Amino acid sequence: MTLLATTSSPSDEASSEPVSPEVRTLAERVFHQLQSAIVRGELAPGSKITEPGLSKTYGISRGPLREAMRRLEAHRLIERVPHVGARVVKLSMKELLELFDVREALESMAARLAAEHMSPEEIQGLRDVLAVHESQGD
């Protein structure tokens, strides 16, 4: 089941962002929203991000934001430079290709494991979805 964040913020997209059920704190919610914004390119590689700016955008205090930014840094999505601030990381072509290789391996394994553990009802549900898509192609 997917939950939606219901707090209001200046950005409607940020407030309608799906939040997984295990998200329990404001810092976790903001971490997931920022992570998603970085992955989607809304926060461009190399762009400077500031606590006051993000605090205003997401409508939160700087305490939970700092925690979220520490997590982003631990996940190597942002980098902090003393006396300069934080920036969204830029990946080299080599790093990007390595990430795609890892993602390809993980996604194929996940698909295989999901297929091996699907119930007959789930398989039929996928067949039904496929039939709908094939009928729309005509």
Side-chain angles (χ1 to χ4, degrees), residues 10 21 31 49 53 56 60 67 75-76 104 106 119 121 134:
F31 165 75
I49 55 175
K56 184 177 180 182
I60 62 167
E67 184 179 334
H75 282 83
R76 297 180 54 185
E104 178 184 23
L106 289 174
S119 69
E121 295 82 17
E134 286 176 342

Side-chain angles (χ1 to χ4, degrees), residues 42-59:
E42 292 170 6
L43 292 174
S47 64
K48 185 174 182 179
I49 55 175
T50 65
E51 287 181 11
L54 291 174
S55 178
K56 184 177 180 182
T57 299
Y58 289 93

Side-chain angles (χ1 to χ4, degrees), residues 10-11 18 31 37 48 57 59-61 64 75-77 86 98 107 111 118 126 128 131 133 136:
S11 168
F31 165 75
K48 185 174 182 179
T57 299
I60 62 167
S61 66
H75 282 83
R76 297 180 54 185
L77 292 172
E98 287 173 359
E107 287 179 0
M118 290 178 77
L126 286 176
D128 294 344
H133 284 285
Q136 291 175 348

Side-chain angles (χ1 to χ4, degrees), residues 1-5 14 17-23 28-29 32-33:
M1 180 169 102
T2 301
L3 302 175
L4 293 177
E17 193 62 37
V19 177
S20 53
E22 61 273 0
V23 174
E28 286 177 274
R29 180 179 62 82
H32 288 291
Q33 288 177 329

Side-chain angles (χ1 to χ4, degrees), residues 54-89:
L54 291 174
S55 178
K56 184 177 180 182
T57 299
Y58 289 93
I60 62 167
S61 66
R62 290 170 68 175
L65 180 60
R66 283 187 192 111
E67 184 179 334
M69 289 180 69
R70 278 193 292 273
R71 289 185 63 193
L72 290 169
E73 187 175 20
H75 282 83
R76 297 180 54 185
L77 292 172
I78 66 170
E79 55 189 1
R80 292 182 195 225
V81 178
H83 309 296
V84 175
R87 292 195 182 275
V88 177
V89 297

Side-chain angles (χ1 to χ4, degrees), residues 110-122:
R112 179 180 52 79
L113 290 171
E116 290 174 358
H117 295 93
M118 290 178 77
S119 69
E121 295 82 17
E122 291 169 321

